[in-house]
Amino acid sequence: KAGVTQTPRYLIKTRGQQVTLSCSPISGHRSVSWYQQTPGQGLQFLFEYFSETQRNKGNFPGRFSGRQFSNSRSEMNVSTLELGDSALYLCASSLSQSYNEQFFGPGTRLTVL
Amino acid sequence: DAKTTQPTSMDCAEGRAANLPCNHSTISGNEYVYWYRQIHSQGPQYIIHGLKNNETNEMASLIITEDRKSSTLILPHATLRDTAVYYCIVPPSGGYQKVTFGIGTKLQVIP
């Protein structure tokens, strides 16, 4: 069974631009969560999607948004990029909306110049 | 959700047992303790989880105190490949989860 995949793996953007990251969960998994990881803050929860609906959201500004499609694939979007948005963005999938073992993808490394 | 406290870093000699502590004094009766680890530049990997009984799998053992306010992850024979950041988390029970991983413990296995 294929693992969680994230595209692209690396991305370089400039301030003010917007970016879209993609995540394909493990087949059969319906819950997708997104995390931001920076050296100083560790792993910070962004949001969780289940059945195309956002179920929970972390403490991030409205510039961070996401969505989930009917096939459980998910995208997250960051608008008006700031230097501080440079981070590793991780996606994790699990079987259901109740907390289960989460399977993480390799992440997308975003650099904002 | 229950906040966890872990040491920032630990060292362990190769071949010896690595014991990683975690405090979760505000844990509720139906909340589980989960452990993950993150090897450099990779996504976190699930290790083990438990509610109140001790648990063991092929990767590690999890010892939870009787009052459930703390736990210890045990890697019985640490290898260099176990060098990683280890996260202890207690997701809120029921509903949808706002999971907080925090900073974790950086375990350095020394040859």
Side-chain angles (χ1 to χ4, degrees), chain B residues 83-105:
Chain B
T83 293
V85 176
Y86 288 77
Y87 298 97
C88 165
I89 63 172
V90 179
S93 60
Y96 302 101
Q97 314 303 323
K98 182 185 289 188
V99 180
T100 301
F101 273 74
I103 302 296
T105 296

Side-chain angles (χ1 to χ4, degrees), chain A residues 38-104:
Chain A
T38 58
Q41 297 296 318
L43 264 169
Q44 301 287 309
F45 174 80
L46 278 158
F47 25 66
E48 179 192 8
Y49 285 87
F50 179 80
S51 292
E52 303 177 62
T53 301
Q54 186 180 95
R55 304 296 182 170
N56 222 327
K57 191 177 192 307
N59 297 322
F60 280 83
R63 300 184 298 107
F64 292 81
S65 63
R67 60 178 175 168
Q68 186 180 35
F69 302 95
S70 58
N71 61 358
S72 295
R73 190 176 70 84
S74 178
E75 290 181 346
M76 67 163 282
N77 184 277
V78 187
S79 62
T80 319
L81 284 167
E82 301 177 359
L83 295 179
D85 297 332
S86 294
L88 179 67
Y89 290 88
L90 290 156
C91 159
S93 76
S94 60
L95 277 171
S96 71
Q97 74 274 28
S98 297
Y99 189 80
N100 277 283
E101 172 186 347
Q102 288 191 318
F103 294 83
F104 282 81

Side-chain angles (χ1 to χ4, degrees), chain B residues 60-102:
Chain B
S61 294
L62 175 60
I63 308 298
I64 302 174
T65 58
E66 193 168 341
D67 63 8
R68 300 207 332 115
K69 293 185 177 182
S70 66
S71 61
T72 300
L73 178 75
I74 301 173
L75 308 178
H77 305 286
T79 70
L80 298 179
R81 288 177 294 180
D82 292 321
T83 293
V85 176
Y86 288 77
Y87 298 97
C88 165
I89 63 172
V90 179
S93 60
Y96 302 101
Q97 314 303 323
K98 182 185 289 188
V99 180
T100 301
F101 273 74

Side-chain angles (χ1 to χ4, degrees), chain B residues 2-75:
Chain B
K3 178 181 170 59
T4 61
T5 305
Q6 299 177 253
T8 305
S9 63
M10 292 181 64
D11 291 339
C12 177
E14 187 178 19
R16 303 296 294 270
N19 297 290
L20 292 91
C22 179
N23 287 319
H24 31 79
S25 59
T26 59
I27 193 170
S28 297
N30 55 355
E31 290 177 336
Y32 284 76
V33 180
Y34 281 76
W35 284 83
Y36 285 77
R37 73 179 183 184
Q38 186 174 23
I39 295 171
H40 184 62
S41 299
Q42 299 180 21
Q45 174 193 25
Y46 165 84
I47 300 173
I48 198 168
H49 74 281
L51 182 63
K52 58 177 70 174
N53 298 320
N54 298 337
E55 303 288 344
T56 296
N57 63 20
E58 64 278 4
M59 290 182 67
S61 294
L62 175 60
I63 308 298
I64 302 174
T65 58
E66 193 168 341
D67 63 8
R68 300 207 332 115
K69 293 185 177 182
S70 66
S71 61
T72 300
L73 178 75
I74 301 173
L75 308 178

